[in-house]
Amino acid sequence: YGGPILHTWFDRELKLAGQAVLKDGSRRLVDTGALVRIPNLAIHLHREKNFDPDRQVHVQPIIGLDADDVSFAEILAEKLEVDAEEISAYNLITVDSQRGEVFGAGHKFLAAGRMDNLSSVWASMQALISTAEDYSGEDVLVLSAFDHEEVGSASRYGAAGPILEDVLTRTAAALGKNEEERRQIYARSSCISVDAAHSVHPNYAVKHDPTHHPLIGQGPVTKINANQRYASDATSIHLWESACERAGVPVQRFVGNNAVPCGSTIGPITATRLGIDTVDVGVPLLSMHSARELVGVQDQLWMIDALKAYLVG
């Protein structure tokens, strides 16, 4: 995350995950398993009321006891089943190694890492697969999942990069469409930007708009912002909420407290690049940007149903 809740990463067994490139140019996915930990300072030595971790000083993880322990390069090589000398470069991040857990009264909560935005990727993929199995329409159904959203999207394969526009342009060309026809396709298309939404926090309700209270377990959320932090407008909201109604899915709305800045999504980025009507939605979530986030099981299932209705609508 670009803006993590840093203290949630302490006292957790963390793994490193990402991509490695070997000297022959091949790329491999990497998951080290539990490997490092950022230990908290004992309370006897740190009695300040509020601990505000310094990113440079306080979040250095520990991996071993002395220089004779196996080096990180050797650990990585073992996971990849290659010699350490074969590794050319890698992109790795720390990840909580604890598995996701369904819990609570009635088993209605799901806690796991990176629910923002794996909750949306999973639901969207399930909806696309289910819809494509029986789809007989003429429209091209597209699912785009981008990297780097939490750090600005301005990368080669982030939402501000060229990949989506390139794929759509080349798809239209493969279908025999010229530039004018492609632009007409954009004009009659619509897009859902699916990203996690804020659920009202029971201990901090004052942070939310007093007349909009989306809650976990009450259905997907339509996200609205007058400053265009979200791409939703009346036209796109109508398309989305009509799909929810057809699917029998309850829908909520999030409008931020005017005194509390909200986040943004890739919705305004892709809408600006392509000019396609876009609505921002998501399942309500607590602990957003924590190492371990919280969503409702039923909201996840409802999101799939709503997206399916939208795709066939």
Side-chain angles (χ1 to χ4, degrees):
Y1 285 125
I5 304 176
L6 282 175
H7 65 262
T8 65
W9 289 87
F10 286 69
D11 295 339
R12 291 181 179 274
E13 289 67 55
L14 305 174
K15 59 184 179 181
L16 299 177
Q19 175 183 247
V21 178
L22 305 184
K23 289 188 176 178
D24 64 5
S26 62
R27 294 182 292 177
R28 305 277 189 87
L29 294 179
V30 182
D31 182 338
T32 66
L35 182 65
V36 303
R37 180 183 173 104
I38 308 171
N40 259 306
L41 182 63
I43 194 169
H44 315 81
L45 307 177
H46 186 85
R47 295 186 180 276
E48 287 84 350
K49 184 176 181 180
N50 295 310
F51 175 44
D52 183 17
D54 184 296
R55 293 186 180 216
Q56 179 63 34
V57 177
H58 297 139
V59 293
Q60 304 299 318
I62 58 173
I63 189 172
L65 290 178
D66 54 56
D68 293 329
D69 288 331
V70 176
S71 71
F72 175 69
E74 292 173 321
I75 294 173
L76 187 58
E78 180 181 357
K79 294 295 181 181
L80 293 170
E81 298 182 342
V82 300
D83 293 331
E85 293 75 19
E86 295 182 54
I87 302 172
S88 178
Y90 49 82
N91 297 318
L92 303 175
I93 61 172
T94 50
V95 181
D96 182 17
S97 63
Q98 184 180 358
R99 60 169 290 169
E101 191 72 49
V102 175
F103 73 103
H107 303 287
K108 295 180 179 179
F109 294 125
L110 170 62
R114 306 173 305 287
M115 296 304 294
D116 175 16
N117 194 28
L118 293 181
S119 60
S120 302
V121 174
W122 181 81
S124 300
M125 181 62 74
Q126 295 300 312
L128 181 67
I129 291 172
S130 178
T131 302
E133 289 176 346
D134 301 312
Y135 186 70
S136 59
E138 296 181 354
D139 294 329
V140 177
L141 308 181
V142 178
L143 168 60
S144 301
F146 298 96
D147 203 350
H148 300 151
E149 189 265 346
E150 296 293 353
V151 291
S153 296
S155 68
R156 180 171 61 86
Y157 36 89
I163 186 169
L164 177 58
E165 186 172 9
D166 283 353
V167 168
L168 296 181
T169 299
R170 295 166 72 178
T171 300
L175 294 173
K177 306 298 183 182
N178 60 35
E179 182 177 352
E180 174 59 24
E181 290 171 321
R182 174 175 61 83
R183 294 181 182 278
Q184 291 175 8
I185 292 173
Y186 286 4
R188 63 176 182 266
S189 296
S190 63
C191 175
I192 303 182
S193 168
V194 192
D195 197 352
H198 292 286
S199 172
V200 171
H201 195 298
N203 300 328
Y204 298 92
V206 69
K207 293 291 186 178
H208 297 264
D209 182 88
T211 58
H212 295 84
H213 280 174
L215 298 171
I216 287 179
Q218 299 297 311
V221 177
T222 307
K223 300 159 69 173
I224 303 168
N225 183 268
N227 291 325
Q228 305 302 305
R229 302 289 288 175
Y230 306 130
S232 309
D233 62 16
T235 299
S236 60
I237 292 171
H238 164 73
L239 291 173
W240 161 247
E241 295 191 350
S242 295
C244 291
E245 184 177 3
R246 292 194 303 273
V249 172
V251 65
Q252 310 179 83
R253 290 186 177 181
F254 171 81
V255 178
N257 184 317
N258 287 317
V260 181
C262 68
S264 187
T265 72
I266 64 173
I269 297 174
T270 55
T272 300
R273 287 187 64 97
L274 302 174
I276 295 177
D277 281 338
T278 301
V279 62
D280 270 292
V281 306
V283 295
L285 183 149
L286 287 172
S287 304
M288 189 177 289
H289 286 218
S290 169
R292 191 168 176 85
E293 297 168 322
L294 176 66
V295 299
V297 172
Q298 185 59 57
D299 293 327
Q300 281 292 127
L301 301 176
W302 273 329
M303 178 60 80
I304 297 172
D305 292 340
L307 291 172
K308 287 166 59 177
Y310 188 94
L311 288 171
V312 301

